[in-house]
Amino acid sequence: MDAVYNRPFLQAGKMPVSLGGYLETNSSYFQTDGVTDGLSFQIPRLTVFMASTIKDRIHFLTEIEFEEGGREIAIEFASMDLAIHPLLNLRGGVVMNPIGAFNQNHDGPKWEFVSRPIASTTIIPATWSNVGFGIYGKYGFGNFVWAYEGYITNGFDDQIISNDQNKTWLPASKLNPDRFEESFNGVPLITAKTAFRHRKAGELGVSWMGGVYNKFEIDGLPIDARRRIDLFAVDFNSVIPRVKTQIKGEWVWAFIDVPDTYTQQYGEKQQGGYVDVVQPILTRKMFGWEKCTLNLAFRFEYVDYNVGTFNETGGTISDHIYAFVPGISFRPSAQTVIRANYQYQLQTDLLGNPPARTAGFQFGFATYF
Amino acid sequence: MIKNKKLCLFLLGFAAIIFVACEKLLPGAPAQNELLDGPVEGLTSEENSKFLAGDVAFNDAIFTVENGLGPYFVATSCGSCHAGDGKGHPFTTLTRFGQSDTTGNQFLNLGGPQLQNRAIPGYQPEQIPAGATSAKFTPPANTGLGFLAALTDAQILANADPNDLNGDGISGVPNYISAPFFFVPQSFHQPLNGKYIGRFGKKAAAIDLLHQTVNAYNQDMGITSEFAPAEPGVNGVPAYPLANPEVAVNTVLDVVFYLRTLKAPIQRDPTNENVLAGKQLFTDLKCASCHTSEWTTGPSDISALSYKTFYPYTDLLLHDMGAGLDDGYTEGIALTSEWRTPPLWGLGLAKNSQGGTYYLMHDGRATSIEDAILLHGGEALQSKILYEALSDTDKQNLIQFLESL
């Protein structure tokens, strides 16, 4: 809820035009079954925000991301918002589809872990933004706030079941260079989310995103059936009072209509999610900075890229990952995080052979500026 | 400041613990003898690079509609069928069709020999044409093939006994195959009436690893190359040539190099008492008459393969395995009931690439080693009968020996 505008550079007084952004940088050392690529350093992303208020209740915000050292430049978000009423705002441009919570809340400095959650980036292909239009709004009553968002945008393409991952891979659609120019098949992707927030209990969101991903006709001639993709997600976040333990997570289910006569390598169902638990253990002045926090953090995550059974044997199709990520993070300010994680991951192939074991250390920081 | 000092010490201490614990917290390599993939020992650095290039093409190159998959196919990469270079699963078991006599496959114009049982979206997969017979083939392991490829035809022929002159009930014949245009005979090949001895495949229908690889790209994935420039035919439509090959010659050759230099499986626990007892039984039961244990290569252009003794447990010859294993389908001059003795090395690791279950024999119909033995008939009937007569302990020892391979 409010993720897009809930950013520190957007403070009163900075209007009408403001500039900000965030930087993430880290080092990592991973090893899979005794084989390592050694130590490497990355800046996964540098993101620049620009915003302005054009007129009372007409806002513009853009988020431009330089990924992997500038090799990829992406407009993650660029929209004009027109506030008609708190219950009704219009938005158009490049929008982040509100599926799950991570997609809109992906800013590095908001997280205590160097890596992004696997399900949120490989089932939900965060950051997943598209050109389109929509409406959103919210309504408060007592301790509750209810919010909704709904968009129609361009959507997926058939690379989701034809890609070099050899599995149903929603992020593959992001490789389509034309996706900001035209819809792959002329059928819009619909995304809708609703969320409730209780001032004390936390927030719960339910979302759906669905459309047709394949090209089913060319020049009016049918070449295939219309094949749907639908994602459902549940997300929540909460802070346990007094002990201040933060708990958040999301779970996503994806249903993809894959032709029966294609290969089962590409799954028709996927699911996965994560739970993060962050426990502040020290909050005080440290190294001369006021109000610093030291946190212990733990993430559990799971993804199953191919939920189903083999036609040939009736046996379960595996193709899944479990990961455990304990970490420690230090926040000299709410906007800056220095974090160190250990990650242990078990990845099982399609057939269910003994898993590949990967583990490693990551150290890095992320900060808004 | 005092407090900060403590904090600094804590953080430094924490970092030190992590650093020291590092090794323990990172997953180590499984023992070499637990893995099938990896190169033979003693490759030069240049050969290592070639091996790695082939490894990528074999395991990581995934074919999609964009880079040529299909339109009709069975799987999307070599590694999909040969996971970890090990044996495959019913999911990637393929079907070939043809007929039961050895006059040559009459269905080549109708999409034979291989059934492309999958198709890219918008296309319908191939059906077996009326009148054809068929057999299923479960992917074998790809380990140690360079050693088998380095043997001379004379070595293979030395074990052949087509008329069973030694009267042991086991004949053993080579398959003779018409060579494809790109086949380059080596000094060790001995053609007969213009045909060459086949070594690879369940019916020994591929003469060398290039032959096998070219057919795999073309028939398993619908990928054309300069060696096989036509898309496989389906559903009565004959094969049709494509202007541009979908895989480069170099890539095909890298994959062949990779196959040649994959290491041979390493036996586990070779000195265990039960394993040794099982090994003796293997000889006593005449298993070794077909599953020839030991071979030595001659000279090879890859020095790591030259003059090496290795233990594949195959004679590379065809044997009549009886009515139970007769699928009514033939390749080359192999009769319908004849199968090439499969190597038994790596057998104990088969489950690790087959999803935890054994799928043995040519079509994976045996789900345990014992099942596989009990399916032996024809020339191997005697061995099977001897096996059945063994005590439970002896049976277990024999199986423990086979699992150690």
Side-chain angles (χ1 to χ4, degrees), chain B residues 35 122 158 176 232 241 259 268 281 303 361:
Chain B
L35 286 179
Y176 280 97
L259 293 171
R268 296 155 305 289
L281 287 165
S303 69
M361 307 304 267

Side-chain angles (χ1 to χ4, degrees), chain A residues 4-5 61 77-82 89-96 104 132-136 149-151:
Chain A
V4 169
Y5 279 96
L61 171 67
F77 188 83
S79 85
M80 191 185 81
D81 285 23
L82 231 124
N89 299 263
L90 306 185
R91 172 176 289 171
V94 178
V95 302
M96 285 184 281
Q104 292 186 324
F133 292 93
I135 52 172
Y136 64 93
E149 291 180 76
Y151 298 92

